[in-house]
Every structure is written in structure tokens, then in C-alpha cells.
Amino acid sequence: MANSFATRLAAALLVACLATAARAEDEAPQPSPSPSMQAQGSPQGSPQGAQQGAQQAGQKGRAGRGEAAPGASATPSAAEQHRLPPDQTTKQTVALPGRTLAFTATAGSIRVFDEKGEPLADIAYTSYALDGAEKANRPVTFLFNGGPGSSSAWLQFGNVGPWRLPFEGAVSSASPDLTPNTDTWLDFTDLVFIDPVGTGYSRFVTTAEDARKRFFTVDGDANSIALVIRRWLEKYDRLPSPKYVVGESYGGIRGPKVVRDLQMQQGVGPRGLVLISPVLDFRDYAGSSILQYVASLPTMTAVARQARGPVTREDLADVEHYARTDFLLDLIRGQADAEATARLADKVASLTGIDPAVSRRLAGRFDIGEFRREFDRKNGKVTGRYDASVEGFDPYPDSSYFHFNDPSGDSLMAPLTSAAVDLTTRKLNWRPDGSYQLLSESVNKAWDFGHGINPAESVTQLRQALALDPKLKLLIGHGLFDLATPYLATRIALDQLPAFAGSDRTRLVVYPGGHMFYSRDGSRQAFRKEVEALMK
């Protein structure tokens, strides 16, 4: 109990510190009376990329431009040495079937301070705003990926932004050329892509180790992103606009917490939350939880069936029913019940195509890595984790240990990184120093998910946010072949919500594809229609 109390107290103090940081900015002197200027943040174009405010080229204000805050030493600080360049705004157009979109693109950053007014980090963003639209009624959507440690490039260039990089069938040596995205969401909402600290060009501007303890935590991360959203809205006079939040993967933990923080700490009320391939509760994915086997069985079956032809979720109704009834009951009976264990092992083998002898040896309980290796082991291949319908060669097929990565995701690292850097530096004319981090392993390894008996989850914040605002809506999209975050885990979590969060407010859609199901044209287009309907 003492450890649990200490953990909760530490988390509370962390959130309080970040909230105090926000208040410290609010209380700092304004560099200009302009209503779009941020107190100690960067009103229109301050040069930073990790957590709070930057400004646009041509804007004035010392603190807003990443210069020393009032009372700070004139000696160049770590913040000055690591500052990002001033925000850069350009006019762009994309010619698409049936229309041409003219829009304003801004690449820049927002700076975050601690409770003493000392700069901590700069969070980079890329925004696209349709020209000629009336701001007050024009929706604005804030998007981030997950990881932890991922930049927002996956959503920007694979799904939502005005330019797109083909994901399906990509190889590491593929050309990083971007093409106009026919399925961009810019038709019906302005877009702001956020790179959390340590990803993209976002960075710490302090050498203090405490900064990492602030940001590389579940609650500290969500608080920082919510703060950046509020600062961006103030900076561009968009507080009256309808506001939406989109998160992918670990964004399923981050997204609901960001919405709740916006509601309760930042004075901002989002109208909708969109989650793509989310994880909502880490308890369901590992350890001794038998729900991990329930959640993944329909996905494993979908992988086996798609090898024989196209598969939809409707084709898996029998497996979902079995997973939530007889399969679950036999799992509960445990391996001490030899008859139940043999029964479920044989059924799992028949559904997934795994060798029955292997299934019996594993008692029908396949973790994700075991399934990926055993599914086509006879041919020396492994399936993807992000998209298990994609196969690649096992570099060590005879090894007793797992020595393979992800054929459905690793091939995108090089072209997606190159595309993001080329667009930012050449087309958007924003040229930070340092390397662009598409997917930071160091951030992921440093992440503090919390300790004790309460693994990271966001269902609590979902309940609270939906209960607080009866008009708030939730849309979740999943891919059938996603073994990283199987769709049935989300369905089970949503089924536990009270009646006030019924089907008129919460919607789950499942498409052919993997974690990035939007890599498939049909799935991307169908999901876009769902999002557009949500925002109307």
C-alpha cells in the first residue's frame, strides 16, 4: 500500500508541476499586446520544436522567439544553442480530381517552460489551413502518432495530409517522392500534426535530467501535448473553431488523456476524438492476462483466411463468438483441465492453420511472436506484427530464438524519413539542424509507463470525457490483420462503457489491412468518409 500511495503521489506531483508550468507561462509578461501572442510561449513563430510555443517568421517578441525570458542571463543558454529556426509559412496548392486546394502551410514549434519560467523543450508542428475558410466555423484537427517515440509522419504522409507516400508494398530503397493525396482530410478540416518531444525535430532545450522525467511519462506526455494544442489555438486565434483530436497506436493511451486534460486543465472542449489502431489498456496485451488470447484469436484467424481470399469483419463473426464464449471458458478452466486444453488447442489450430502438434504444445495460447513465426515456418517466413498478412524471410529460420523484425513496418523507415525531411526542408522551407527522428528507440526505452498494480490505460479518461460532455463523439478504426493492437480488444473495452456512451456516440469500424490500414486505398477512403461524417 505504501508503494502504491507513493506512486500515486508522485504522479499527482508530476501533473501539478506541468500544470504549474502552464500557469507560469500565463503569468509571464506579454511581449506584445497582439491577441495572438503567447505569454512566454512563441506567439507566431518562435523557433523551437518540443513542447510549447514558437512563432512564425516576422513575428516579434523576445521570449516568443526563443530568446531569454525576462530576468534570464544574457549568456547564451542551452535553450539558445538548441533553438529551432523561426516558424516558416508558405502558400501551397494541390491539384486533385475535381478540385484544387489552396492552403497555408506552416512548419514551426511551440516552447514549453517549467514553473520557474525556464525553457524545457520545443515541440514541432506542421499545420495546413485551407485558404478562404471562415475560421470560427472551420474545424481544426490535431494529430499525433504513438510509440512512445513516434513522430506524426505516419498519419501525415500515409493517410491525412495534402501529400502522400504510398505505403503498401514499399521497400527500403523506394523513392521518397510525395504525390498529391486525393484522400486528404483538408477538404473538411484544417490539420495540425504534432511531434512529441524527442521525435521529428522536437527537442529538449535544457540539459536538466528532470526534463525527461517530466515528458517521458504517461501523464506528463499527455499534459504537454494538451498544452501545445491550447497554445496553438491561442496563437492562431482558433479557440472558437470546432476542435478534434486524432491519435494512432499508443495515441490510444495519449488521446483520451489529452482530451481530458484539454477539458479540465486547458479550458478547451474538443468535439470529437478519433483513434486509429489504438491500445486502450496495456493489461490486455501481456503478462498473465488471458484476454490477450481472446483479443488476438480473430486477427490470427483473419490472417489464415485472407491467404485463401478477401476477408471482412463479417466473415469473422463465428470466431468472435467463439473467442468470447467457449474459448474464454476453456481458458478459464486452465491447463489443469487436460480435456479443455486439448479442445481449445485443436480448435485454435483449425482456425489459424498452425500445426496441431505445435498448438497442443503451447496449449492453444499463442503470443504474438509465436504466431508470427509458426504461421509459415515451413517456408522459413514470418508474418508482420503491424500487418500479419505481410510476410518476409526469417533471417535465422533454424534458431531456437526469435531474431526477426517486422516485414510490414521496417521497410517504411527509410522512404518515410526521407520524405518527411525533404518536404519540411525543401517545400516548406523550414530547416532545423540536427537529425529528424521518425521513430526514436531512445525515447521508447526511456519511457516511464508507471509502476505498481496499475498499468497504463485510458478507458478511465474515456469514461470521464464522455460523461462530462454529452456531445463529445468517439470514432475508432482498426485493421483486421493488426497483431500489434487487435481490434477485438477495443470492442471488448467499448462494451464495458455505460449506456451514456452508446452507439450513437461511440463507433468502431474495422477494415482489411493492418496497423496502418489506411495504406490500402479502399480502407483509407472508407475511414475518411467516417471522419467527415463525424465532423459534419
Side-chain angles (χ1 to χ4, degrees), residues 230 233 239 243 260-270:
R230 190 190 95 197
L233 289 166
L239 281 168
K243 295 162 281 288
R260 185 63 175 160
D261 194 284
L262 287 170
Q263 289 177 329
M264 301 302 295
Q265 302 298 327
Q266 307 301 335
V268 174

Side-chain angles (χ1 to χ4, degrees), residues 80-235:
E80 292 304 300
Q81 295 170 16
H82 297 289
R83 63 183 292 177
L84 289 171
D87 295 6
Q88 186 67 40
T89 296
T90 57
K91 293 293 185 179
Q92 305 286 343
T93 60
V94 288
L96 304 170
R99 80 272 194 204
T100 296
L101 300 181
F103 57 96
T104 299
T106 301
S109 61
I110 290 179
R111 174 162 286 191
V112 174
F113 298 80
D114 67 12
E115 61 276 5
K116 297 179 181 178
E118 296 295 329
L120 294 175
D122 290 335
I123 292 185
Y125 65 87
T126 305
S127 66
Y128 303 105
L130 194 68
D131 291 344
E134 200 276 309
K135 285 185 177 181
N137 297 318
R138 171 78 172 168
V140 58
T141 301
F142 298 89
L143 306 97
F144 41 77
N145 278 81
S150 174
S151 74
S152 60
W154 312 86
L155 283 174
Q156 181 175 178
F157 302 117
N159 189 14
V160 177
W163 297 281
R164 186 172 172 272
L165 181 73
F167 278 15
E168 195 167 20
V171 295
S172 185
S173 58
S175 171
D177 295 335
L178 294 169
T179 58
N181 181 13
T182 301
D183 305 313
T184 180
W185 296 5
L186 190 57
D187 285 288
F188 52 84
T189 179
D190 292 339
L191 304 166
V192 184
F193 297 91
I194 299 173
D195 293 335
V197 110
T199 74
Y201 287 115
S202 297
R203 62 188 62 176
F204 289 104
V205 294
T206 176
T207 58
E209 186 60 30
D210 284 351
R212 283 162 178 76
K213 295 179 181 179
R214 288 176 183 263
F215 296 112
F216 292 169
T217 64
V218 174
D219 291 329
D221 163 74
N223 177 265
S224 71
I225 299 301
L227 193 58
V228 167
I229 290 174
R230 190 190 95 197
R231 286 301 184 195
W232 190 96
L233 289 166
E234 292 173 341
K235 177 175 173 177

